[in-house]
Amino acid sequence: MGNLSSAQAAGYDSLSDRDARSVLTVANTILQQLGGNRFKIMTGAKDFIGDETSLMFRIPRAKDGINKVRVTLDLAIDLYSVEFMRVNFKKYTFETVHTSNQVYFDDLERVFTEHTGLYTRL
């Protein structure tokens, strides 16, 4: 189905399935707006982690060494901020390469491709 389905993925171990789905509603919506399964296949995105307002995932090393992306919904204005990061898992270093603020849902794919060089569709 392509949706996040585990409360554990969101850091919750003891929530009921219903509670987990409600916690992950925004994360699932973000994934669908990025392209769902097509997005996963085209970009190689994996290790999805969602919470009440965001979705974070890993991508293969992209432009500027970007390998992690976080998309966060600003509930007050109903727009997204997209943070492109470079994480070195061996040295435990973390660096934000670029942040795009006030992104409309229909611009998510374009912003992602612009900053990573990875296409989300053929």
Side-chain angles (χ1 to χ4, degrees):
M1 198 192 259
N3 291 337
L4 301 172
S5 59
S6 169
Q8 194 171 24
Y12 299 98
D13 293 323
S14 61
L15 290 178
S16 71
D17 286 342
R18 180 177 167 210
D19 291 338
R21 280 192 303 272
S22 66
V23 165
L24 296 176
T25 299
V26 170
N28 282 321
T29 301
I30 293 168
L31 180 57
Q32 291 309 309
Q33 290 172 340
L34 283 167
N37 283 335
R38 181 192 71 228
F39 174 78
K40 289 181 187 180
I41 292 167
M42 289 292 296
T43 64
K46 60 184 177 180
D47 300 336
F48 292 86
I49 300 173
D51 64 22
E52 294 89 352
T53 61
S54 69
L55 176 67
M56 186 164 48
F57 52 89
R58 205 167 127 195
I59 57 174
R61 190 175 187 97
K63 185 168 79 173
D64 297 329
I66 294 168
N67 60 358
K68 201 133 184 109
V69 179
R70 180 183 321 153
V71 182
T72 305
L73 175 63
D74 183 339
L75 295 169
I77 58 175
D78 200 28
L79 296 175
Y80 294 105
S81 70
V82 185
E83 187 177 3
F84 300 93
M85 300 166 271
R86 181 177 20 232
V87 180
N88 184 324
F89 296 99
K90 292 180 181 173
K91 295 181 181 178
Y92 300 107
T93 59
F94 172 91
E95 177 186 359
T96 298
V97 177
H98 183 78
T99 302
S100 294
N101 294 308
Q102 297 186 351
V103 177
Y104 289 96
F105 79 93
D106 54 349
D107 284 334
L108 283 174
E109 289 181 87
R110 180 190 58 75
V111 168
F112 178 84
T113 298
E114 180 180 309
H115 293 290
T116 65
L118 299 173
Y119 292 97
T120 60
R121 58 179 68 221
L122 292 174

